[in-house]
Amino acid sequence: DQQVKQNSPSLSVQEGRISILNCDYTNSMFDYFLWYKKYPAEGPTFLISISSIKDKNEDGRFTVFLNKSAKHLSLHIVPSQPGDSAVYFCAASASPSGTYKYIFGTGTRLKVLA
Amino acid sequence: DAGVTQSPTHLIKTRGQQVTLRCSPKSGHDTVSWYQQALGQGPQFIFQYYEEEERQRGNFPDRFSGHQFPNYSSELNVNALLLGDSALYLCASSLGPGGIGGYTFGSGTRLTVV
């Protein structure tokens, strides 16, 4: 049972345009969400997080939106740069239950075309 | 400031053998989580160590065990290796089990079981 789903395995975007990466989850107990970026031969790198008490969080070119009723979150990258080309994972956890294990999606490979 | 260090980077083992993977957390971090990432999948939570105890565990058999040392470094042991254990094993460190603000991942150990 895949509790965190990234239904788009890949995405191509022109440099300077907006990249939108989507993530859906099924467990209503999830209350903390993270996005990670992964380059080949490297470990995932933390990008941005959002708590369920918010519906938006921004950090520079990266914005994460959370729609709790739809159990959906998205990562917006504006403007997209070639260096953003990587695999992006969303991850979720349910902290009130005391379980801090993060459930990861399967990832979306973003390619930013110069 | 050294990040998370994992060793070895690559390893080839035969079915039925045992393997030990090692992780040194980022300076200042006291919690280590281990993840298994199969090809084309997102990282899957194995277990988490805090205060030298296993705090959380994912859906992995008892063949997977670990240890955390007083200096916060950690080992992942896998006994009776199966072909399906071939994967990238990621170690992530954080300050506290909650990992609020995100974990710092190492580059991983690529285990191949033949």
Side-chain angles (χ1 to χ4, degrees):
Chain A
D1 178 28
Q2 189 71 25
Q3 297 185 63
V4 177
K5 300 177 185 177
Q6 293 177 257
N7 293 318
S8 298
S10 64
L11 176 68
S12 291
V13 172
Q14 284 295 131
E15 181 180 6
R17 299 291 186 101
I18 183 171
S19 294
I20 300 176
L21 297 99
N22 294 303
C23 180
D24 296 294
Y25 60 96
T26 58
N27 188 340
S28 57
M29 297 296 291
F30 288 150
D31 65 344
Y32 195 71
F33 305 88
L34 308 171
W35 282 94
Y36 283 88
K37 176 171 71 173
K38 187 178 185 302
Y39 294 117
E42 295 183 13
T45 304
F46 170 73
L47 266 180
I48 192 169
S49 64
I50 188 166
S51 163
S52 60
I53 62 173
K54 292 186 169 184
D55 54 18
K56 177 182 174 182
N57 190 26
E58 285 183 84
D59 184 1
R61 297 185 298 113
F62 301 91
T63 303
V64 57
F65 295 91
L66 175 63
N67 183 331
K68 290 185 288 294
S69 60
K71 296 191 180 68
H72 176 83
L73 65 156
S74 60
L75 174 68
H76 293 209
I77 306 173
V78 184
S80 300
Q81 300 173 353
D84 296 329
S85 297
V87 178
Y88 289 77
F89 294 97
C90 66
S93 75
S95 54
S97 67
T99 60
Y100 292 111
K101 58 183 182 183
Y102 283 91
I103 309 297
F104 281 76
T106 53
T108 296
R109 184 177 301 277
L110 174 65
K111 188 171 183 180
V112 180
L113 307 170
Chain B
D1 176 27
V4 177
T5 304
Q6 291 187 244
S7 63
T9 54
H10 295 84
L11 200 54
I12 299 175
K13 288 286 189 177
T14 303
R15 273 181 300 175
Q17 284 189 315
Q18 179 264 345
V19 68
T20 297
L21 310 182
R22 295 178 176 82
C23 172
S24 293
K26 180 180 177 178
S27 177
H29 284 181
D30 58 7
T31 303
V32 172
S33 302
W34 286 92
Y35 286 81
Q36 179 196 66
Q37 186 176 12
L39 199 62
Q41 300 296 315
Q44 288 205 12
F45 178 79
I46 303 174
F47 43 52
Q48 181 185 74
Y49 277 86
Y50 173 65
E51 294 183 333
E52 301 180 49
E53 290 186 7
E54 183 183 294
R55 297 289 177 157
Q56 301 289 340
R57 191 177 182 92
N59 295 325
F60 280 81
D62 292 343
R63 298 187 297 110
F64 289 77
S65 63
H67 189 76
Q68 185 179 35
F69 299 94
N71 66 353
Y72 308 122
S73 67
S74 177
E75 287 182 350
L76 164 65
N77 301 293
V78 187
N79 295 322
L81 284 167
L82 303 174
L83 294 179
D85 295 331
S86 295
L88 178 68
Y89 288 85
L90 293 164
C91 168
S93 73
S94 60
L95 180 60
I100 301 300
Y103 294 154
T104 299
F105 279 86
S107 298
T109 294
R110 173 73 61 188
L111 172 65
T112 302
V113 182
V114 297

